[in-house]
Amino acid sequence: LPNFRLIVEYDGTDFEGWQVQPKGSRTVQGCIAESFEGIVGAPVAVLGSGRTDAGVHAEGQVASALAETRLDPEELRRALNAKLPDDIAVVRLERTNESFDPRRDALSKHYRYRIWNHPIRSPLRARRFWWRRAALDLVAMRRAAEALVGEHDFESFQATGSDVKTTVRRLLRVEIVGETGGEIVLDFEGDGFLRYMVRNLVGTLAEVGLSRRSADEMGKLLAARDRGQAGATAPALGLTLMAVRYPDASARSDE
Amino acid sequence: LPNFRLIVEYDGTDFEGWQVQPKGSRTVQGCIAESFEGIVGAPVAVLGSGRTDAGVHAEGQVASALAETRLDPEELRRALNAKLPDDIAVVRLERTNESFDPRRDALSKHYRYRIWNHPIRSPLRARRFWWRRAALDLVAMRRAAEALVGEHDFESFQATGSDVKTTVRRLLRVEIVGETGGEIVLDFEGDGFLRYMVRNLVGTLAEVGLSRRSADEMGKLLAARDRGQAGATAPALGLTLMAVRYPDASARSDE
């Protein structure tokens, strides 16, 4: 069957995440598969670069879909977007080789976490930003983030109850931009992420920002390999999967 | 009674506008009055600088409220925000003179209209941007907008069925920033706006942007004083009341 590569944008607010659930909740993967099947008239296997949890958004999720169709990619994309609900859109669609697997082939992913760091909550930011009322010390947070870059065992930042072969991941970049008293953006790029890893890192960095933790203790936290010692999980609504990168440079999902 | 001046931010998506409706729909004014009354234990008259229609947002709506309370302004603001729903917040609150009337005293208002001008709709922009698929000619739109600045009779851009003493208004500024194929922002500042005026101006400018109308015909359109000759009304979701300005410079709602 011909294989298609999709770049997908969604507002995660009203989804129970990417992955189809047994009980049949509203999921991004489920909506895409259903729209595809309505067009090609046969079951379609939709694979993603990884799951995003309930409430997490995406600007550049990457997916593949094996399907037989007489439509060209442009027509197929239009037909999909006409069928998809307002909170999902296929922003790019192209033919790809049969063996393309968006999860296995991914080189790195870029996640962005948004914080509204202001004494007063902001209704117009309520769906995309985590509201932190008290002033965050960005200098301390940046210093703490430095210790995270590189290859580390991130078990301390993994959701409890996860079952993966290895908890070693390589963080390529952590960047914290913005201002205390306004919008703060935290960018994480890495070769892979454990479940809740970004949200647990953000929750821990926010505690550093409040001086509840020292910026120096990140190394110790990593070495402890103990979820109980890291900070609370930041809420899903602040998180967006921005892009996934592949060996083929043209296949970066944000270009 | 002591008078308070409020600056209010709201996501208009789930409101039937600012103004309390006889049938008891969900309105911004209604929610603020109800929260106020819950705190002070007496009826509170809440006045706005003007109505915003259903679906229109605000970053800097200005309101007044006459209320007797032992709370200081800071405590009152916190108490209000604790009671208000997630889609409204009081971003500033202060004592003002008894005679302050946010509608009568306003010198000018600033509205912003957002367009997502891209072949593909954007789920993450769906609540704030009007999606226009075809490329808009910004140069032509800017040229057309020039003819609108100054004092004119805007009857051609007023909602049909309106009943106001005069349809003459002064537009102080129209600015169009952004790029074809991306986000476009249209800023309107004026001493007053007729019902649907910004949305009718945007709808008409968008037709200029598509070359369905010439940039030169704005003067003729104004002179016609005929709603039937202007363009369609742009949807409410793209519109935000950014700020209201008052004679007291300190009372600009965006500072």
Side-chain angles (χ1 to χ4, degrees):
Chain A
L1 283 174
N3 199 9
F4 294 96
R5 184 174 170 281
L6 289 70
I7 299 177
V8 185
E9 176 180 331
Y10 46 89
D11 179 330
T13 312
D14 299 326
F15 289 104
E16 300 191 37
W18 166 267
Q19 174 110 339
V20 170
Q21 305 290 323
K23 55 187 152 100
S25 351
R26 187 169 187 265
T27 65
V28 182
Q29 190 186 31
C31 283
I32 296 174
E34 197 184 305
S35 301
F36 239 113
E37 289 163 3
I39 293 163
V40 305
V44 175
V46 174
L47 297 175
S49 74
R51 311 172 186 189
T52 52
D53 290 306
V56 174
H57 317 287
E59 291 192 18
Q61 170 69 290
V62 176
S64 71
L66 289 159
E68 192 69 73
T69 171
R70 274 174 302 183
L71 301 177
D72 69 31
E74 172 71 12
E75 291 166 337
L76 183 56
R77 183 184 56 67
R78 281 172 185 256
L80 279 167
N81 283 333
K83 275 195 183 286
L84 284 167
D86 283 351
D87 46 3
I88 313 183
V90 176
V91 298
R92 213 162 85 184
L93 186 149
E94 62 209 1
R95 278 292 299 270
T96 184
N97 53 322
E98 224 178 319
S99 65
F100 173 68
D101 177 328
R103 182 185 190 120
R104 190 199 56 214
D105 297 348
L107 285 184
S108 72
K109 285 182 185 168
H110 169 199
Y111 278 99
R112 176 165 289 176
Y113 197 94
R114 292 175 166 90
I115 296 176
W116 173 237
N117 182 34
H118 195 279
I120 304 170
R121 63 184 169 73
S122 170
L124 288 165
R125 292 178 182 86
R127 291 164 75 97
R128 302 291 304 281
F129 287 77
W130 182 29
W131 175 40
R132 297 273 72 198
R133 185 196 296 259
L136 296 174
D137 177 349
L138 295 191
V139 174
M141 289 169 70
R142 285 188 192 110
R143 202 149 56 81
E146 275 172 29
L148 300 168
V149 176
E151 189 170 278
H152 301 286
D153 187 330
F154 285 97
E155 188 170 339
S156 295
F157 298 97
Q158 175 179 235
T160 44
S162 303
D163 179 24
V164 289
K165 269 183 242 162
T166 168
T167 48
V168 173
R169 297 289 184 276
R170 180 181 291 277
L171 263 188
L172 304 162
R173 179 169 74 97
V174 183
E175 227 168 72
I176 304 177
V177 174
E179 44 174 9
T180 307
E183 295 184 358
I184 298 171
V185 162
L186 298 94
D187 283 303
F188 297 84
E189 193 171 341
D191 66 359
F193 290 88
L194 303 165
R195 189 148 199 229
Y196 289 180
M197 180 171 144
V198 176
R199 292 162 58 190
N200 290 338
L201 288 170
V202 170
T204 307
L205 290 171
E207 294 178 10
V208 171
L210 293 171
S211 307
R212 287 188 196 150
R213 279 175 194 275
S214 144
D216 302 321
E217 70 179 79
M218 303 306 277
K220 212 174 59 191
L221 261 182
L222 286 166
R225 303 184 59 211
D226 173 8
R227 176 69 192 96
Q229 294 188 32
T233 309
L237 60 81
L239 187 60
T240 306
L241 173 56
M242 300 298 288
V244 189
R245 291 185 176 83
Y246 292 92
D248 172 6
S250 73
R252 274 181 58 160
S253 69
D254 58 347
E255 275 173 2
Chain B
L1 284 175
N3 199 9
F4 294 96
R5 185 174 169 281
L6 290 69
I7 300 178
V8 186
E9 175 179 332
Y10 46 90
D11 179 331
T13 311
D14 298 326
F15 289 105
E16 300 192 37
W18 166 266
Q19 174 110 339
V20 170
Q21 305 289 323
K23 55 188 153 99
S25 351
R26 188 170 186 265
T27 65
V28 182
Q29 190 185 31
C31 284
I32 296 174
E34 198 183 305
S35 301
F36 238 115
E37 289 163 3
I39 293 163
V40 305
V44 176
V46 174
L47 297 175
S49 74
R51 310 171 186 191
T52 52
D53 290 305
V56 174
H57 317 286
E59 292 192 18
Q61 169 69 291
V62 176
S64 70
L66 288 160
E68 191 69 72
T69 171
R70 273 173 303 182
L71 302 178
D72 69 33
E74 172 71 11
E75 292 166 336
L76 183 56
R77 182 184 57 65
R78 281 173 186 256
L80 279 168
N81 284 334
K83 275 195 182 286
L84 285 167
D86 283 351
D87 46 3
I88 314 183
V90 176
V91 298
R92 213 163 85 182
L93 186 149
E94 61 208 4
R95 278 292 300 271
T96 185
N97 53 321
E98 223 179 320
S99 65
F100 173 67
D101 177 328
R103 182 185 190 121
R104 190 200 54 213
D105 296 346
L107 284 183
S108 71
K109 285 183 186 169
H110 170 198
Y111 279 99
R112 176 165 289 177
Y113 198 94
R114 291 176 168 88
I115 297 176
W116 173 238
N117 182 36
H118 195 279
I120 304 170
R121 63 184 167 73
S122 171
L124 288 166
R125 291 178 183 87
R127 291 163 75 96
R128 301 291 304 280
F129 287 77
W130 182 29
W131 176 40
R132 297 273 72 197
R133 185 195 296 259
L136 296 174
D137 177 350
L138 296 191
V139 175
M141 288 169 70
R142 284 188 194 110
R143 202 150 56 80
E146 276 172 28
L148 299 168
V149 176
E151 189 170 279
H152 301 287
D153 187 330
F154 285 96
E155 188 169 342
S156 295
F157 297 96
Q158 175 179 235
T160 43
S162 302
D163 178 25
V164 289
K165 268 184 242 163
T166 167
T167 47
V168 173
R169 297 289 183 277
R170 179 180 292 275
L171 263 189
L172 304 162
R173 179 169 74 98
V174 184
E175 226 167 71
I176 304 177
V177 174
E179 46 175 6
T180 307
E183 295 185 358
I184 298 171
V185 161
L186 298 94
D187 283 303
F188 297 85
E189 193 172 340
D191 65 359
F193 290 89
L194 303 166
R195 188 147 199 229
Y196 289 0
M197 180 170 145
V198 176
R199 293 162 59 190
N200 290 338
L201 288 170
V202 170
T204 307
L205 290 171
E207 293 179 9
V208 171
L210 293 171
S211 308
R212 287 188 196 150
R213 281 176 192 273
S214 145
D216 301 321
E217 70 179 77
M218 303 307 277
K220 212 174 61 193
L221 260 182
L222 286 166
R225 304 184 57 212
D226 173 8
R227 177 71 192 95
Q229 294 188 33
T233 309
L237 60 82
L239 186 60
T240 305
L241 172 56
M242 300 298 286
V244 189
R245 290 185 178 84
Y246 292 92
D248 172 6
S250 73
R252 272 179 61 157
S253 68
D254 59 347
E255 277 174 1

